[in-house]
Amino acid sequence: MKYLLSLLVAANLFAITPQDLYGCFETIEHNQQSVPHGPDYERNLSTYEDYSFSRTYKNVETNRVEPINVFNFFTGVRDDVYYSYSPIILFQDLGEYKWNDNSLSYEIDEDIYMYRSQKEMYEKVDHRLKLSIEKVGVYFEGSVELKSYARRINRSFTFKLKKVSCPTSY
């Protein structure tokens, strides 16, 4: 029994979970291209953060606020001043997270209410996302597919990240 329990604990120590992603990453590649960095180290980082305080999204069926995580991918800098990012919204309680040894995936295909500040109201939008991540040595490699017809979004990219310590301002 002890042996079986220690095997289960050891297997879970090496699995990637959503909690393992919280923090900062150096972006090594975006769409299989190396990423140009700017002079401001903090702005060169990709981040995975808890935004459960956000009131941007509500559940269509229950009308309750949906807590989110934001995976903000740094995609490069131009002319040392124009930093570019690709933020991805992951719902904490909607969609399906799957993880095992060295991989994690998240998939959602749902309608959701999204707050539109221009209109000062919630509007029903579609949110279709596939995220897959694999841990390869010290790197997190993966892909993102995001589609929303209501918001006219059709974005997909690959990435290679390396986990780093967040600066003290995070």
Side-chain angles (χ1 to χ4, degrees):
M1 185 66 171
K2 274 186 181 179
Y3 178 72
L4 182 60
L5 185 60
S6 63
L7 275 178
L8 288 172
V9 169
N12 285 331
L13 287 176
F14 300 107
I16 301 172
T17 67
Q19 290 73 24
D20 295 330
L21 297 177
Y22 286 114
C24 298
F25 297 86
E26 179 183 346
T27 305
I28 307 300
E29 291 178 0
H30 182 264
N31 281 334
Q32 300 176 334
Q33 302 286 321
S34 61
V35 176
H37 291 86
D40 186 344
Y41 174 74
E42 289 183 32
R43 293 178 65 196
N44 290 320
L45 297 176
S46 294
T47 57
Y48 185 77
E49 299 177 82
D50 181 342
Y51 275 76
S52 53
F53 57 85
S54 173
R55 303 190 60 76
T56 305
Y57 298 95
K58 283 187 176 184
N59 188 300
V60 171
E61 294 174 10
T62 65
N63 206 36
R64 85 175 173 95
V65 172
E66 286 295 336
I68 59 172
N69 292 327
V70 177
F71 211 145
N72 203 17
F73 291 91
F74 172 68
T75 59
V77 70
R78 186 173 40 91
D79 301 329
D80 287 339
V81 291
Y82 301 106
Y83 291 78
S84 182
Y85 304 90
S86 185
I88 301 298
I89 304 299
L90 294 92
F91 294 93
Q92 293 177 6
D93 301 327
L94 294 176
E96 186 175 5
Y97 287 91
K98 292 181 185 174
W99 60 87
N100 57 36
D101 296 340
N102 288 324
S103 65
L104 177 139
S105 66
Y106 173 76
E107 224 174 294
I108 185 168
D109 183 354
E110 296 211 20
D111 290 338
I112 191 92
Y113 289 131
M114 179 178 163
Y115 186 74
R116 300 285 196 165
S117 57
Q118 305 91 331
K119 297 179 181 180
E120 296 184 358
M121 61 183 279
Y122 283 91
E123 205 170 67
K124 190 176 182 179
V125 298
D126 55 324
H127 192 80
R128 317 295 183 240
L129 174 66
K130 289 182 184 180
L131 168 72
S132 62
I133 301 173
E134 187 173 348
K135 187 144 195 271
V136 180
V138 297
Y139 300 105
F140 291 85
E141 299 180 12
S143 63
V144 171
E145 289 179 39
L146 174 63
K147 292 183 181 181
S148 174
Y149 298 104
R151 295 176 284 169
R152 295 184 181 111
I153 297 172
N154 187 1
R155 184 173 39 182
S156 63
F157 59 90
T158 61
F159 59 86
K160 183 176 184 179
L161 308 172
K162 182 180 179 185
K163 187 92 178 213
V164 295
S165 296
C166 290
T168 55
S169 63
Y170 279 86

